[in-house]
Structures are given as C-alpha cells and as structure tokens.
Amino acid sequence: MTVAEPAPKPITSGKDPRFAPTLYAHVGQPESWTLDYFQRHGGYQGVRRAFAMGPDAVIEEVKKSGLRGRGGAGFATGLKWSFMPLKDGKPHYIICNADESEPGSFKDRYLLSEDPHQLIEGMLIGGYAMRASVGYIYIRGEYVHAAERMWAAIQEARAAGLLGKSVLGSGFDFDLQVHRGAGAYICGEETALMNSLEGLRANPRLKPPFPAAAGLYGLPTTINNVETFCAATQILKYGADWHARMGTEKSKGMKLFQISGPVARPGVYELPLGTTFRELIYDWAGGPLEEMKAIIPGGSSCPMLPWDDRVLDTPMEYESVAAAGSMLGTGGVTLIPKADCIVNATWNLVRFYGHESCGKCTPCREGISSWMTRMYEKLSRGHGQPGDVQLILDMSDNIGGRSFCALADACLGPVLSSIKLFREEYDQLAHTEQAMYPARRRWRDS
C-alpha cells in the first residue's frame, strides 16, 4: 500500500499590508486547528458580537459587507440568509457545502483541516441569524484528514460550551454534525447534497420549491460554501465596513484564488477581489514556466479564455470576468500550455463530467455521458471525420439549457469555448492524423 505525499502548504497574501490574510492567517501554523490556539488569536469574538446584536442585525451586517457566495455562483450572502422564513414554528437547518469537487479548486480543504474553528464560528453566526438549531458539514469523502480534524474541533467546542444548549449562555441552542460524502461531484448541487444527507440517491430536485422554503427533510434550509461561512466569521469580528473597503464596488472582500498548471509557485493565494490575472500569475505565482495558450479562470466548468493581454489585465471579480466571456466561479485558475492539444485537454474534462453525471435526465445521461464522451474519444484517438466538430456543436445545442441541473451546462462551458478559440485544432483532428502534440502521441502509443 502506497501513502500519498501530503499536499504542499498554500501560499497566502502578505506583500501588501492593506490586505493581510484573514481567512488563511493561521493556515500552516502549529496547532492552528485547536480551540486553545483559535481563542488565543481572537476566536469566537465574532459570535459574541452577533449575540449582542441580535439575529436580524446580523443579517443586515452581512448584507452591508457586500459578501457574495464563494462557492461559485456569487449570490449575495446576506440576501440569501434573509430568505429563511421568520417565526414559522418549524425547525431550520443550515448546511456547509464542503464537497470541494470542482477540478481546479483546492482552497476549502486547508480551512477544514488547518482552521476548523473558523468554520464552526461562521456556522454559529449563520445559524443564529437564520434561527437554525442544527448545522451539517457535508465533506467530500476523500477529505479524510479534514473530516477527522472537523470532528475533533466540534468535540472541543461542545466541551467548552460553544456548541449545544444555550451557547455561551445566550439561550441559543445549536449543534453541528459532520457527514462524509462518497466522492460524487453532483453533490456540489445543493438539492442533490440534501438528498444524499437524507440517505437518498444524490439526484437533484426540481426547483421551486427552493431550499429556504423546503430543503432538508422538507424544512427551511440554507446552504453556503466553506469560504463563505469563514468570511462571515471575519465580518462579524471586524465589521461590515472593514470588509466592504476591500475588493471592488460590486465584488467586495478578499478571495481565495487557486492557481494550477505550469507556474513557478502553484497554490492558494488570499487576495482582494479585483486583483488581475496578471498579478496573480506573475507577481504571486512566479510566472508561467512555458508558453501558454488558454486560461480556465474559475474551475473546470468555466469557459476558457485566450492567453492575451486583455484577459491577463482583467480584474478577477464577478462582473469583469463575465464581461470577458467566462465566470469567476470558485477562483480556481488553471493554465493550459501552448504545447498541449486543446482537444485532449477538453476530452479530459468531458470524461470527468460524463463519469460524474447522476444519470437522472436524458440530455446529461445520453448527451454528455455517452455521445459527447465518445465523440471526443474518437477525435483524440485519431479517428476523426469531416463533420465531427459540427456534430459536437449540434449536440451542444440540444443539451444546453435542457438538463435537470447545471452539470451538463458546466460540461459545455469548456467544450464550446475551446471550439470557439481553437477551431483549427479540432478541424485538424477531424480531417487527418495529427502529429504535432508529443504528449498525445506518447499517451496513444503506450
């Protein structure tokens, strides 16, 4: 049995004193996951302030901060929290989506394993604001170490009166549970996640009703990402004005950006929203190690962008990246070298989505898992024919916007953008045996 090497520690912001790291301030420090360390560094001060303010004021504070969900959609967090019904007499639930399965994303695992009490405090704040008495942390099954750290932190918090009955003597009852998933990408979709929590097959549900009205066990539920809850901890600790001063007018605060691919220093960087791709790639990650052709700006489901000055100088915030033709997503930036075959790179993503489809709806089950995967395999193995690229485009027209959830559309992001940007590579593979990519030849001949 082989044991995988531990992941390298993330590199965080620190060059600019105005933007000292907060979410990652203690990642990598000795004993940072313990309650004693967390409290010695100001832990659980935010929830004390929340109790003094009252639940409605907490929601207004989060709204004022301008915090937007960090899981990919970028929806206003305070507004989302306000959707939970008040005084309905029903139990309320909150869920932390820690099923970090988007290729190119690897920021949340460090928060889970290195600073779990920051997440616990954020969920305490969210639970108090939304009148929830129980919270669930749904952790990706492969994150064994993170799940163990979270459980240990929860037990510490319970023993210290920070979870359970009348937290800190406030009269507010709240407890947390950890649920490990089984490695299903579809559980990143909030309703599929809830089905999995209930012991059902992880298929997405029809919306409406939305989770705030009928979520886990048919009761009001709100789901947020790990980074979002941790950001709430810092907002209640330092104030909404502090958070709103960072970032841009519409995308406020700090963000955990991940960068992977052939760069000098791949890793996680905590930077203000609005930092450009050029700053991330060259100033922080040390620059590319070879010539590039494309960027995936926010995780594998985001459309590719070309490697040019316009894209490199685009601020990494929701509106600017959308105007450039893609999405900020989770902030997982992936660089694609010029020497790589774009069809092979896209096939790798298409295979992933085909494998992860839950199979509930026809456009995804037959369109992505079957036809799209087979078409890319045909091209990549050198069996392409004239008309194959147009067939992929026609299939995409029949799949896009017609699946039960967003998984099929997520697959089409890299498919359509790669054809738009690099049609000549597709046409070459569709007409002749391509020999310009040594990596592909080595793979095929092995």
Side-chain angles (χ1 to χ4, degrees), residues 11-22 254 269-272 284:
I11 305 170
T12 59
S13 174
K15 294 182 180 179
D16 191 331
R18 295 174 300 164
F19 307 120
T22 53
M254 302 285 278
Y269 296 83
E270 185 176 353
L271 300 168
W284 295 96

Side-chain angles (χ1 to χ4, degrees), residues 153-233:
I154 287 171
Q155 290 167 354
E156 281 187 306
R158 286 173 178 167
L162 294 161
L163 290 174
K165 296 290 185 182
S166 189
V167 175
L168 295 173
S170 65
F172 170 61
D173 300 341
F174 185 78
D175 204 0
L176 283 173
Q177 301 290 334
V178 174
H179 181 93
R180 287 183 58 200
Y185 175 80
I186 191 63
C187 289
E189 199 281 332
E190 60 182 8
T191 61
L193 184 156
M194 290 188 294
N195 272 350
S196 177
L197 262 177
E198 292 180 15
L200 305 174
R201 181 172 177 172
N203 286 345
R205 302 176 184 177
L206 184 65
K207 293 186 287 189
F210 293 96
L216 188 66
Y217 306 118
L219 296 169
T221 306
T222 292
I223 303 177
N224 281 120
N225 171 261
V226 174
E227 186 183 350
T228 308
F229 277 121
C230 289
T233 298

Side-chain angles (χ1 to χ4, degrees), residues 117-135:
H117 283 281
Q118 183 178 194
L119 174 58
I120 293 173
E121 183 174 6
M123 295 191 72
L124 264 170
I125 292 166
Y128 177 67
M130 291 178 275
R131 284 78 166 176
S133 58
V134 178

